[in-house]
Protein backbone atom coordinates (compact mmCIF):
# COMPACT_ATOMS: atom_id res chain seq x y z
CA UNK A 1 0.00 0.00 0.00
CA UNK A 2 0.98 3.57 -0.34
CA UNK A 3 3.55 5.15 1.94
CA UNK A 4 1.94 8.58 1.66
CA UNK A 5 -1.82 8.11 1.43
CA UNK A 6 -4.06 11.14 1.57
CA UNK A 7 -0.86 13.12 0.92
CA UNK A 8 0.53 12.41 4.38
CA UNK A 9 4.21 11.59 4.64
CA UNK A 10 5.80 9.52 7.36
CA UNK A 11 7.60 11.38 10.15
CA UNK A 12 10.91 12.81 8.91
CA UNK A 13 12.91 11.16 11.66
CA UNK A 14 12.00 7.65 10.50
CA UNK A 15 14.96 5.99 8.72
CA UNK A 16 14.24 5.00 5.17
CA UNK A 17 15.69 1.54 5.67
CA UNK A 18 14.37 1.01 9.19
CA UNK A 19 11.61 -1.38 8.29
CA UNK A 20 12.18 -4.62 6.47
CA UNK A 21 8.44 -5.14 6.45
CA UNK A 22 7.93 -2.26 4.03
CA UNK A 23 10.43 -3.67 1.55
CA UNK A 24 8.77 -7.04 1.79
CA UNK A 25 5.38 -5.44 1.40
CA UNK A 26 6.34 -4.08 -1.98
CA UNK A 27 6.83 -7.61 -3.23
CA UNK A 28 3.39 -8.60 -2.13
CA UNK A 29 1.51 -5.81 -3.81
CA UNK A 30 0.97 -4.20 -0.45
CA UNK A 31 2.71 -1.51 1.51
CA UNK A 32 6.32 -1.25 0.55
CA UNK A 33 8.62 1.69 0.14
CA UNK A 34 8.81 0.80 -3.55
CA UNK A 35 5.07 0.82 -3.97
CA UNK A 36 2.70 3.57 -5.08
CA UNK A 37 3.47 6.96 -3.63
CA UNK A 38 -0.08 8.22 -3.15
CA UNK A 39 -3.71 7.16 -3.00
CA UNK A 40 -4.26 7.60 -6.75
CA UNK A 41 -1.66 4.97 -7.52
CA UNK A 42 -1.80 1.27 -6.89
CA UNK A 43 -4.94 0.22 -8.69
CA UNK A 44 -3.63 -3.31 -8.57
CA UNK A 45 -6.85 -4.35 -6.87
CA UNK A 46 -8.79 -3.81 -10.08
CA UNK A 47 -9.03 -6.61 -12.60
CA UNK A 48 -5.83 -6.69 -14.59
CA UNK A 49 -4.59 -3.51 -12.90
CA UNK A 50 -0.84 -2.97 -12.83
CA UNK A 51 -0.73 -0.27 -10.17
CA UNK A 52 1.07 2.19 -12.41
CA UNK A 53 1.29 5.94 -11.97
CA UNK A 54 -1.81 6.63 -14.05
CA UNK A 55 -4.79 4.87 -12.46
CA UNK A 56 -6.53 4.52 -15.81
CA UNK A 57 -3.43 3.11 -17.43
CA UNK A 58 -3.15 0.74 -14.51
CA UNK A 59 -6.77 -0.19 -14.97
CA UNK A 60 -6.74 -0.90 -18.68
CA UNK A 61 -3.08 -1.38 -19.57
CA UNK A 62 -2.96 -5.16 -19.36
CA UNK A 63 -6.57 -6.23 -19.61
CA UNK A 64 -7.62 -9.25 -21.57
CA UNK A 65 -11.06 -9.25 -23.18
CA UNK A 66 -12.58 -11.34 -20.39
CA UNK A 67 -11.64 -8.69 -17.80
CA UNK A 68 -12.80 -5.67 -19.80
CA UNK A 69 -16.43 -5.84 -18.65
CA UNK A 70 -15.44 -6.13 -15.02
CA UNK A 71 -13.09 -3.15 -15.36
CA UNK A 72 -15.78 -0.95 -16.89
CA UNK A 73 -18.18 -2.04 -14.18
CA UNK A 74 -15.71 -0.97 -11.50
CA UNK A 75 -15.05 2.31 -13.30
CA UNK A 76 -18.79 2.96 -13.37
CA UNK A 77 -18.98 2.22 -9.66
CA UNK A 78 -16.20 4.74 -9.08
CA UNK A 79 -17.79 7.56 -11.06
CA UNK A 80 -21.36 6.98 -9.85
CA UNK A 81 -20.52 6.87 -6.15
CA UNK A 82 -22.48 9.48 -4.18
CA UNK A 83 -21.93 8.37 -0.59
CA UNK A 84 -19.61 9.57 2.17
CA UNK A 85 -15.93 10.46 1.98
CA UNK A 86 -14.90 6.82 1.48
CA UNK A 87 -16.47 4.28 -0.85
CA UNK A 88 -16.66 1.47 1.68
CA UNK A 89 -18.30 -0.95 -0.74
CA UNK A 90 -15.23 -0.66 -2.92
CA UNK A 91 -12.96 -0.87 0.13
CA UNK A 92 -14.61 -4.13 1.16
CA UNK A 93 -14.40 -5.60 -2.35
CA UNK A 94 -10.73 -4.75 -2.74
CA UNK A 95 -9.88 -6.00 0.75
CA UNK A 96 -11.52 -9.32 -0.09
CA UNK A 97 -9.69 -9.44 -3.43
CA UNK A 98 -6.38 -8.74 -1.70
CA UNK A 99 -7.03 -11.51 0.82
CA UNK A 100 -7.95 -13.99 -1.91
CA UNK A 101 -4.66 -13.34 -3.68
CA UNK A 102 -2.73 -14.62 -0.68
CA UNK A 103 0.33 -13.22 1.05
CA UNK A 104 3.80 -12.70 -0.34
CA UNK A 105 4.95 -16.09 0.96
CA UNK A 106 2.22 -17.80 -1.06
CA UNK A 107 -0.09 -18.56 1.88
CA UNK A 108 -3.73 -18.59 0.83
CA UNK A 109 -6.67 -17.91 3.10
CA UNK A 110 -8.67 -20.91 4.21
CA UNK A 111 -11.74 -21.65 6.27
CA UNK A 112 -11.22 -22.35 9.96
CA UNK A 113 -11.47 -26.04 10.80
CA UNK A 114 -13.43 -27.37 13.79
CA UNK A 115 -10.15 -28.40 15.41
CA UNK A 116 -8.69 -24.91 15.05
CA UNK A 117 -11.86 -23.39 16.45
CA UNK A 118 -11.73 -25.65 19.50
CA UNK A 119 -8.03 -24.88 20.04
CA UNK A 120 -8.71 -21.13 20.02
CA UNK A 121 -11.64 -21.46 22.42
CA UNK A 122 -9.53 -23.51 24.83
CA UNK A 123 -6.59 -21.08 24.59
CA UNK A 124 -8.78 -18.06 25.38
CA UNK A 125 -10.47 -19.91 28.26
CA UNK A 126 -7.10 -20.83 29.79
CA UNK A 127 -5.72 -17.33 29.14
CA UNK A 128 -8.61 -15.76 31.05
CA UNK A 129 -8.01 -18.15 33.94
CA UNK A 130 -4.35 -17.13 34.15
CA UNK A 131 -5.17 -13.43 33.88
CA UNK A 132 -7.50 -13.65 36.87
CA UNK A 133 -4.45 -13.79 39.09
CA UNK A 134 -2.60 -10.78 37.64
CA UNK A 135 -5.29 -8.12 37.21
CA UNK A 136 -8.31 -6.92 39.14
CA UNK A 137 -10.22 -6.42 35.87
CA UNK A 138 -12.51 -9.40 35.20
CA UNK A 139 -12.86 -11.20 31.89
CA UNK A 140 -14.04 -9.01 29.06
CA UNK A 141 -14.71 -11.73 26.49
CA UNK A 142 -18.19 -13.19 26.46
CA UNK A 143 -17.27 -15.32 23.43
CA UNK A 144 -14.14 -16.45 21.64
CA UNK A 145 -13.91 -16.99 17.89
CA UNK A 146 -11.44 -18.22 15.32
CA UNK A 147 -11.47 -16.15 12.15
CA UNK A 148 -10.20 -16.61 8.64
CA UNK A 149 -8.58 -13.57 7.04
CA UNK A 150 -11.74 -12.80 5.09
CA UNK A 151 -13.79 -12.98 8.29
CA UNK A 152 -11.38 -10.56 9.96
CA UNK A 153 -11.96 -8.08 7.12
CA UNK A 154 -15.74 -8.33 7.47
CA UNK A 155 -15.67 -7.98 11.26
CA UNK A 156 -13.26 -5.02 11.47
CA UNK A 157 -14.51 -2.78 8.65
CA UNK A 158 -16.98 -0.92 10.91
CA UNK A 159 -14.12 0.13 13.20
CA UNK A 160 -11.94 1.17 10.26
CA UNK A 161 -14.86 3.28 9.04
CA UNK A 162 -15.05 5.06 12.37
CA UNK A 163 -11.30 5.67 12.32
CA UNK A 164 -10.82 6.75 8.73
CA UNK A 165 -14.01 8.64 7.85
CA UNK A 166 -13.15 11.75 9.91
CA UNK A 167 -9.79 12.11 8.19
CA UNK A 168 -11.14 11.49 4.68
CA UNK A 169 -14.11 13.79 5.30
CA UNK A 170 -11.87 16.64 6.42
CA UNK A 171 -9.65 16.25 3.36
CA UNK A 172 -12.66 16.15 1.03
CA UNK A 173 -14.21 19.22 2.64
CA UNK A 174 -10.96 21.12 2.28
CA UNK A 175 -10.92 20.38 -1.44
CA UNK A 176 -14.39 21.89 -1.88
CA UNK A 177 -13.98 24.81 0.53
CA UNK A 178 -10.94 26.21 -1.19
CA UNK A 179 -12.95 27.43 -4.21
CA UNK A 180 -15.01 30.65 -4.15
CA UNK A 181 -18.77 30.05 -4.29
CA UNK A 182 -19.12 31.34 -7.84
CA UNK A 183 -16.38 28.98 -8.99
CA UNK A 184 -17.98 26.10 -7.14
CA UNK A 185 -21.20 26.66 -9.10
CA UNK A 186 -19.31 26.71 -12.39
CA UNK A 187 -17.21 23.70 -11.50
CA UNK A 188 -20.08 21.72 -9.99
CA UNK A 189 -19.93 18.73 -12.34
CA UNK A 190 -16.16 18.58 -12.09
CA UNK A 191 -16.23 18.76 -8.28
CA UNK A 192 -18.88 16.06 -8.21
CA UNK A 193 -16.70 13.81 -10.33
CA UNK A 194 -13.71 14.57 -8.13
CA UNK A 195 -15.68 13.67 -5.00
CA UNK A 196 -16.82 10.41 -6.56
CA UNK A 197 -13.32 9.54 -7.66
CA UNK A 198 -11.90 10.65 -4.33
CA UNK A 199 -14.29 8.42 -2.39
CA UNK A 200 -13.46 5.49 -4.63
CA UNK A 201 -9.73 6.09 -4.47
CA UNK A 202 -9.79 6.41 -0.70
CA UNK A 203 -11.81 3.19 -0.68
CA UNK A 204 -9.25 1.49 -2.90
CA UNK A 205 -6.40 2.61 -0.70
CA UNK A 206 -8.05 1.54 2.53
CA UNK A 207 -9.29 -1.74 1.07
CA UNK A 208 -5.80 -2.66 -0.03
CA UNK A 209 -4.40 -1.68 3.38
CA UNK A 210 -6.95 -3.73 5.29
CA UNK A 211 -6.51 -6.68 2.93
CA UNK A 212 -2.74 -6.71 3.41
CA UNK A 213 -3.11 -6.34 7.15
CA UNK A 214 -5.54 -9.27 7.26
CA UNK A 215 -2.69 -11.45 6.05
CA UNK A 216 -0.53 -10.68 9.08
CA UNK A 217 -2.60 -9.83 12.17
CA UNK A 218 -3.12 -12.55 14.76
CA UNK A 219 -6.19 -11.16 16.53
CA UNK A 220 -8.63 -8.27 16.74
CA UNK A 221 -6.48 -5.93 18.85
CA UNK A 222 -3.07 -5.91 17.15
CA UNK A 223 -2.95 -2.12 16.87
CA UNK A 224 -4.07 -1.52 20.43
CA UNK A 225 -7.60 -0.60 19.38
CA UNK A 226 -10.78 -2.69 19.61
CA UNK A 227 -11.34 -3.41 15.92
CA UNK A 228 -13.74 -6.29 16.41
CA UNK A 229 -17.18 -6.51 18.04
CA UNK A 230 -17.28 -5.81 21.78
CA UNK A 231 -16.77 -8.80 24.02
CA UNK A 232 -15.51 -11.08 21.26
CA UNK A 233 -11.95 -12.39 21.64
CA UNK A 234 -10.73 -13.37 18.18
CA UNK A 235 -7.65 -15.14 16.89
CA UNK A 236 -6.61 -16.05 13.32
CA UNK A 237 -5.21 -19.62 13.34
CA UNK A 238 -3.61 -19.36 9.89
CA UNK A 239 -1.70 -16.20 10.77
CA UNK A 240 -0.71 -17.56 14.17
CA UNK A 241 0.84 -20.56 12.45
CA UNK A 242 2.74 -18.27 10.07
CA UNK A 243 3.86 -16.03 12.94
CA UNK A 244 5.30 -18.93 14.95
CA UNK A 245 6.74 -20.91 12.05
CA UNK A 246 10.39 -19.85 12.45
CA UNK A 247 10.43 -19.08 16.18
CA UNK A 248 11.36 -22.55 17.36
CA UNK A 249 8.52 -22.40 19.88
CA UNK A 250 5.89 -25.08 20.36
CA UNK A 251 2.71 -24.17 18.51
CA UNK A 252 0.44 -24.42 21.53
CA UNK A 253 2.64 -21.98 23.48
CA UNK A 254 2.52 -19.44 20.66
CA UNK A 255 -1.27 -19.70 20.47
CA UNK A 256 -1.66 -19.42 24.23
CA UNK A 257 0.63 -16.39 24.52
CA UNK A 258 -1.27 -14.58 21.78
CA UNK A 259 -4.56 -15.58 23.42
CA UNK A 260 -3.29 -13.94 26.63
CA UNK A 261 -2.70 -10.69 24.76
CA UNK A 262 -6.10 -10.78 23.09
CA UNK A 263 -7.89 -11.58 26.35
CA UNK A 264 -5.99 -8.85 28.22
CA UNK A 265 -7.04 -6.26 25.63
CA UNK A 266 -10.63 -7.44 25.91
CA UNK A 267 -10.59 -6.94 29.70
CA UNK A 268 -9.31 -3.42 29.37
CA UNK A 269 -11.78 -2.28 26.74
CA UNK A 270 -14.73 -4.01 28.42
CA UNK A 271 -14.17 -2.56 31.88
CA UNK A 272 -12.75 0.90 31.10
CA UNK A 273 -15.89 2.38 29.51
CA UNK A 274 -14.34 5.69 28.51
CA UNK A 275 -11.28 4.20 26.80
CA UNK A 276 -12.69 3.45 23.35
CA UNK A 277 -14.28 6.89 22.94
CA UNK A 278 -11.10 8.50 24.27
CA UNK A 279 -8.96 6.82 21.60
CA UNK A 280 -11.36 7.29 18.71
CA UNK A 281 -12.06 10.85 19.85
CA UNK A 282 -8.36 11.64 19.62
CA UNK A 283 -8.41 10.48 15.99
CA UNK A 284 -11.38 12.78 15.31
CA UNK A 285 -9.58 15.64 17.04
CA UNK A 286 -6.60 15.06 14.83
CA UNK A 287 -8.83 15.06 11.74
CA UNK A 288 -10.47 18.36 12.68
CA UNK A 289 -7.09 20.05 12.57
CA UNK A 290 -6.15 18.93 9.07
CA UNK A 291 -5.34 21.86 6.86
CA UNK A 292 -4.71 21.99 3.13
CA UNK A 293 -2.13 24.03 1.26
CA UNK A 294 -4.74 26.10 -0.54
CA UNK A 295 -2.29 27.74 -2.89
CA UNK A 296 -1.30 24.39 -4.34
CA UNK A 297 -4.90 23.24 -4.53
CA UNK A 298 -6.01 26.43 -6.29
CA UNK A 299 -3.28 25.99 -8.87
CA UNK A 300 -4.20 22.38 -9.44
CA UNK A 301 -7.95 22.96 -9.72
CA UNK A 302 -7.42 25.93 -12.03
CA UNK A 303 -5.32 23.88 -14.42
CA UNK A 304 -7.03 20.51 -14.07
CA UNK A 305 -7.94 18.79 -17.31
CA UNK A 306 -10.67 16.22 -16.67
CA UNK A 307 -9.15 13.99 -19.33
CA UNK A 308 -5.90 13.82 -17.35
CA UNK A 309 -6.76 12.80 -13.77
CA UNK A 310 -3.10 12.04 -13.12
CA UNK A 311 -2.61 15.79 -12.62
CA UNK A 312 -4.45 15.58 -9.33
CA UNK A 313 -2.40 12.51 -8.49
CA UNK A 314 0.82 14.46 -9.06
CA UNK A 315 -0.40 17.24 -6.77
CA UNK A 316 -1.07 14.71 -4.02
CA UNK A 317 2.41 13.32 -4.58
CA UNK A 318 3.85 16.76 -3.85
CA UNK A 319 2.28 16.81 -0.37
CA UNK A 320 -0.79 18.96 -0.98
CA UNK A 321 -2.46 17.58 2.16
CA UNK A 322 0.41 17.88 4.62
CA UNK A 323 -1.12 18.47 8.07
CA UNK A 324 -0.39 21.82 9.59
CA UNK A 325 1.82 21.67 12.66
CA UNK A 326 -0.55 23.46 15.02
CA UNK A 327 -0.81 23.15 18.81
CA UNK A 328 -4.18 21.42 18.40
CA UNK A 329 -2.65 18.87 16.04
CA UNK A 330 0.22 18.21 18.39
CA UNK A 331 -2.12 17.80 21.36
CA UNK A 332 -4.39 15.32 19.54
CA UNK A 333 -1.47 13.24 18.30
CA UNK A 334 0.23 13.26 21.70
CA UNK A 335 -3.00 12.24 23.45
CA UNK A 336 -3.58 9.32 21.10
CA UNK A 337 0.05 8.24 21.06
CA UNK A 338 0.30 8.24 24.86
CA UNK A 339 -3.03 6.45 25.35
CA UNK A 340 -2.07 3.71 22.89
CA UNK A 341 1.30 3.28 24.59
CA UNK A 342 -0.42 2.94 27.97
CA UNK A 343 -2.82 0.33 26.60
CA UNK A 344 -0.06 -1.71 25.00
CA UNK A 345 2.25 -1.28 27.99
CA UNK A 346 -0.43 -2.52 30.41
CA UNK A 347 -1.15 -5.55 28.22
CA UNK A 348 2.57 -6.28 27.88
CA UNK A 349 3.06 -6.12 31.65
CA UNK A 350 0.08 -8.24 32.75
CA UNK A 351 0.62 -10.85 30.02
CA UNK A 352 4.26 -11.22 31.00
CA UNK A 353 3.29 -11.63 34.65
CA UNK A 354 0.76 -14.32 33.74
CA UNK A 355 2.92 -16.16 31.20
CA UNK A 356 6.39 -16.17 32.73
CA UNK A 357 5.74 -18.77 35.46
CA UNK A 358 3.88 -21.04 33.05
CA UNK A 359 5.37 -20.80 29.56
CA UNK A 360 9.01 -21.65 28.97
CA UNK A 361 9.13 -19.37 25.93
CA UNK A 362 7.42 -16.39 27.55
CA UNK A 363 10.50 -14.15 27.46
CA UNK A 364 11.29 -15.02 23.84
CA UNK A 365 7.71 -14.45 22.70
CA UNK A 366 7.54 -11.16 24.55
CA UNK A 367 10.72 -9.90 22.90
CA UNK A 368 9.59 -11.11 19.47
CA UNK A 369 6.36 -9.14 19.73
CA UNK A 370 8.18 -6.08 21.04
CA UNK A 371 10.61 -6.17 18.14
CA UNK A 372 7.76 -6.66 15.71
CA UNK A 373 6.21 -3.45 17.03
CA UNK A 374 9.52 -1.59 17.26
CA UNK A 375 10.42 -2.39 13.66
CA UNK A 376 7.17 -0.88 12.46
CA UNK A 377 5.14 -4.04 12.08
CA UNK A 378 2.23 -4.26 9.65
CA UNK A 379 -0.34 -3.02 12.15
CA UNK A 380 1.71 0.05 13.00
CA UNK A 381 2.41 0.80 9.33
CA UNK A 382 -1.23 0.52 8.37
CA UNK A 383 -2.42 2.69 11.23
CA UNK A 384 0.23 5.30 10.43
CA UNK A 385 -0.72 5.18 6.77
CA UNK A 386 -4.46 5.52 7.28
CA UNK A 387 -4.53 8.33 9.83
CA UNK A 388 -1.03 9.82 9.62
CA UNK A 389 0.09 8.62 13.08
CA UNK A 390 2.88 6.36 14.24
CA UNK A 391 3.03 4.91 17.74
CA UNK A 392 6.60 5.34 18.94
CA UNK A 393 7.92 1.98 20.16
CA UNK A 394 9.98 3.66 22.89
CA UNK A 395 6.74 4.71 24.54
CA UNK A 396 5.57 1.10 24.63
CA UNK A 397 8.61 -0.10 26.56
CA UNK A 398 8.48 2.85 28.93
CA UNK A 399 4.79 2.22 29.58
CA UNK A 400 5.39 -1.48 30.27
CA UNK A 401 8.10 -0.62 32.80
CA UNK A 402 5.83 1.92 34.47
CA UNK A 403 2.94 -0.54 34.86
CA UNK A 404 5.28 -3.21 36.24
CA UNK A 405 6.68 -0.72 38.78
CA UNK A 406 3.15 0.29 39.75
CA UNK A 407 2.32 -3.35 40.42
CA UNK A 408 5.26 -3.65 42.79
CA UNK A 409 4.51 -0.36 44.55
CA UNK A 410 0.70 -0.33 44.74
CA UNK A 411 -0.46 -3.85 44.02
CA UNK A 412 -2.91 -5.03 41.37
CA UNK A 413 -5.82 -2.99 42.68
CA UNK A 414 -3.82 0.23 42.94
CA UNK A 415 -2.39 -0.20 39.47
CA UNK A 416 -5.67 -1.02 37.76
CA UNK A 417 -7.57 1.68 39.64
CA UNK A 418 -5.73 4.26 37.52
CA UNK A 419 -7.98 3.28 34.61
CA UNK A 420 -11.04 4.68 36.39
CA UNK A 421 -10.59 8.09 34.79
CA UNK A 422 -8.29 9.44 32.04
CA UNK A 423 -7.03 12.18 34.33
CA UNK A 424 -5.59 9.55 36.66
CA UNK A 425 -3.41 7.95 33.98
CA UNK A 426 0.28 8.69 33.51
CA UNK A 427 1.11 11.41 31.00
CA UNK A 428 3.79 11.50 28.32
CA UNK A 429 6.03 13.27 30.84
CA UNK A 430 5.40 10.50 33.35
CA UNK A 431 6.58 7.95 30.80
CA UNK A 432 9.87 9.84 30.72
CA UNK A 433 10.10 9.54 34.53
CA UNK A 434 8.21 6.39 35.54
CA UNK A 435 9.82 6.18 38.99
CA UNK A 436 8.70 9.71 39.75
CA UNK A 437 5.10 8.82 38.92
CA UNK A 438 5.14 5.54 40.81
CA UNK A 439 6.42 7.08 44.03
CA UNK A 440 4.51 10.32 43.79
CA UNK A 441 2.22 10.90 46.73
CA UNK A 442 -1.21 9.59 45.85
CA UNK A 443 -4.26 11.75 46.09
CA UNK A 444 -6.34 11.02 49.18
CA UNK A 445 -10.05 11.25 48.40
CA UNK A 446 -11.17 10.11 51.86
CA UNK A 447 -12.16 13.57 53.12
CA UNK A 448 -14.05 14.32 49.93
CA UNK A 449 -15.78 10.95 50.14
CA UNK A 450 -16.74 11.65 53.73
CA UNK A 451 -18.23 15.02 52.81
CA UNK A 452 -20.17 13.49 49.91
CA UNK A 453 -21.46 10.74 52.19
CA UNK A 454 -22.66 13.23 54.78
CA UNK A 455 -24.30 15.35 52.08
CA UNK A 456 -26.11 12.25 50.84
CA UNK A 457 -27.59 11.69 54.30
CA UNK A 458 -25.08 9.34 55.77
CA UNK A 459 -24.32 11.68 58.68
CA UNK A 460 -21.00 12.42 60.28
CA UNK A 461 -20.71 8.96 61.72
CA UNK A 462 -20.90 7.16 58.39
CA UNK A 463 -17.92 4.81 57.97
CA UNK A 464 -15.46 5.60 55.20
CA UNK A 465 -15.82 2.76 52.70
CA UNK A 466 -13.06 4.16 50.52
CA UNK A 467 -10.36 4.44 53.10
CA UNK A 468 -6.99 4.64 51.36
CA UNK A 469 -5.03 1.47 52.00
CA UNK A 470 -1.91 2.72 50.27
CA UNK A 471 -2.80 0.92 47.08
CA UNK A 472 -4.51 3.80 45.33
CA UNK A 473 -7.67 1.76 44.79
CA UNK A 474 -11.18 2.32 45.98
CA UNK A 475 -14.40 0.45 46.47
CA UNK A 476 -15.50 1.01 42.92
CA UNK A 477 -12.21 -0.16 41.47
CA UNK A 478 -12.26 -3.31 43.63
CA UNK A 479 -15.90 -4.24 43.19
CA UNK A 480 -15.19 -6.67 40.38
CA UNK A 481 -12.72 -8.72 42.33
Amino acid sequence: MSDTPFGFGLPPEEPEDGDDGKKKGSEGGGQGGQGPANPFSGFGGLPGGSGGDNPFAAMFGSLNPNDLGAAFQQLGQMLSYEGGPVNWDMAKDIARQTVSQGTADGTKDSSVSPGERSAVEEAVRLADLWLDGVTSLPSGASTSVAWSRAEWVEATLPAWKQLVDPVAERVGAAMGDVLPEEMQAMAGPLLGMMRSMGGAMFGQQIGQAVGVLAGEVVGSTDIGLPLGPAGKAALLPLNIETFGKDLGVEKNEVRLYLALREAAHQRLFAHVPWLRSHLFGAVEGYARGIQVDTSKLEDVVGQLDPSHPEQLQEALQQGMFQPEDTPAQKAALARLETALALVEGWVDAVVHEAAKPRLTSADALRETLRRRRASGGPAEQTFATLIGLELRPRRLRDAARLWASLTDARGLDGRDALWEHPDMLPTAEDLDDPDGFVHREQMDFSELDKMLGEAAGGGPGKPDLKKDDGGGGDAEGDSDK
Side-chain angles (χ1 to χ4, degrees):
M1 61 179 282
S2 162
D3 279 343
T4 54
F6 306 166
F8 295 130
L10 292 176
E13 67 271 17
E14 180 180 3
E16 294 181 359
D17 58 351
D19 178 16
D20 293 337
K22 292 183 180 180
K23 298 181 185 299
K24 293 177 183 176
S26 64
E27 298 171 6
Q31 53 191 58
Q34 306 300 318
N38 56 75
F40 291 97
S41 296
F43 271 70
L46 296 173
S50 63
D53 289 337
N54 185 329
F56 292 100
M59 195 184 303
F60 300 114
S62 58
L63 286 180
N64 60 55
N66 294 331
D67 291 331
L68 191 58
F72 274 112
Q73 182 179 6
Q74 200 142 21
L75 178 60
Q77 180 184 1
M78 178 192 301
L79 295 178
S80 63
Y81 175 70
E82 296 180 351
V86 178
N87 187 331
W88 286 103
D89 289 336
M90 178 171 283
K92 178 180 175 180
D93 290 345
I94 290 179
R96 294 293 298 263
Q97 290 172 22
T98 303
V99 165
S100 68
Q101 292 167 5
T103 52
D105 62 1
T107 305
K108 297 284 188 179
D109 193 22
S110 59
S111 299
V112 178
S113 70
E116 290 172 328
R117 201 175 305 279
S118 296
V120 165
E121 291 173 354
E122 176 62 20
V124 173
R125 185 197 65 78
L126 186 56
D128 258 336
L129 183 64
W130 290 1
L131 288 171
D132 283 340
V134 297
T135 174
S136 61
L137 300 179
S139 174
S142 56
T143 58
S144 56
V145 294
W147 283 339
S148 67
R149 293 166 178 172
E151 288 172 328
W152 183 90
V153 168
E154 295 278 354
T156 62
L157 273 178
W160 288 116
K161 186 177 188 297
Q162 189 175 353
L163 281 169
V164 176
D165 267 353
V167 179
E169 185 174 0
R170 182 67 193 96
V171 171
M175 292 179 65
D177 293 345
V178 73
L179 291 178
E181 290 186 8
E182 59 274 14
M183 291 188 64
Q184 289 187 28
M186 295 174 60
L190 176 59
L191 289 176
M193 184 185 73
M194 289 174 61
R195 280 193 293 269
S196 296
M197 291 183 63
M201 290 176 178
F202 285 148
Q204 186 276 336
Q205 182 71 22
I206 294 160
Q208 189 181 20
V210 172
V212 170
L213 186 56
E216 308 210 25
V217 294
V218 295
S220 70
T221 55
D222 280 37
I223 66 171
L225 290 173
L227 295 180
K232 186 171 289 188
L235 294 175
L236 282 72
L238 177 59
N239 291 356
I240 290 175
E241 183 174 355
T242 302
F243 170 81
K245 184 170 55 177
D246 300 322
L247 296 181
V249 178
E250 203 273 328
K251 182 178 179 179
N252 288 337
E253 284 207 11
V254 175
R255 183 193 302 114
L256 187 49
Y257 192 88
L258 296 175
L260 280 166
R261 290 184 53 83
E262 177 74 10
H265 278 102
Q266 293 294 336
R267 288 181 180 232
L268 200 55
F269 286 110
H271 298 290
V272 183
W274 56 265
L275 185 55
R276 178 187 173 95
S277 60
H278 179 76
L279 292 169
F280 282 70
V283 176
E284 294 178 4
Y286 166 79
R288 283 194 299 269
I290 291 175
Q291 302 294 328
V292 173
D293 186 336
T294 57
S295 61
K296 285 186 179 180
L297 185 56
E298 288 169 352
D299 290 342
V300 169
V301 173
Q303 302 173 18
L304 183 63
D305 182 348
S307 64
H308 293 87
E310 68 274 9
Q311 291 178 358
L312 188 57
Q313 169 197 353
E314 292 169 0
L316 286 166
Q317 206 165 11
Q318 295 168 7
M320 184 169 63
F321 294 144
Q322 288 295 333
E324 185 177 343
D325 192 17
T326 65
Q329 286 286 88
K330 288 182 179 180
L333 290 176
R335 186 167 67 252
L336 181 57
E337 189 173 75
T338 301
L340 285 173
L342 290 173
V343 168
E344 290 298 280
W346 184 88
V347 168
D348 180 273
V350 300
V351 166
H352 182 69
E353 191 175 352
K356 188 171 177 59
R358 300 176 174 94
L359 298 180
T360 58
S361 302
D363 288 332
L365 288 168
R366 183 191 203 189
E367 188 58 30
T368 297
L369 286 161
R370 282 183 164 189
R371 289 182 178 180
R372 189 180 191 225
R373 178 62 61 87
S375 64
E380 294 298 337
Q381 293 172 24
T382 299
F383 193 48
T385 298
L386 291 181
I387 71 166
L389 169 75
E390 283 216 354
L391 174 62
R392 297 169 62 189
R394 181 178 64 84
R395 302 284 81 185
L396 166 59
R397 290 181 181 266
D398 289 345
R401 284 194 294 269
L402 186 148
W403 288 118
S405 297
L406 282 167
T407 307
D408 295 337
R410 305 186 186 182
L412 302 181
D413 295 343
R415 178 199 65 196
D416 293 344
L418 292 176
W419 289 106
E420 290 180 3
H421 192 278
D423 290 344
M424 297 176 66
L425 288 177
T427 64
E429 290 75 19
D430 293 325
L431 293 180
D432 292 327
D433 181 23
D435 290 338
F437 179 84
V438 170
H439 299 294
R440 186 180 305 159
E441 183 177 354
Q442 301 175 54
M443 293 181 290
D444 185 357
F445 293 102
S446 59
E447 288 301 319
L448 177 60
D449 291 338
K450 184 177 180 181
M451 294 171 59
L452 292 174
E454 293 176 356
K462 182 181 178 181
D464 182 6
L465 298 179
K466 291 188 177 182
K467 183 177 180 181
D468 188 1
D469 61 0
D474 59 31
E476 181 181 1
D478 299 341
S479 62
D480 290 321
K481 284 193 64 180

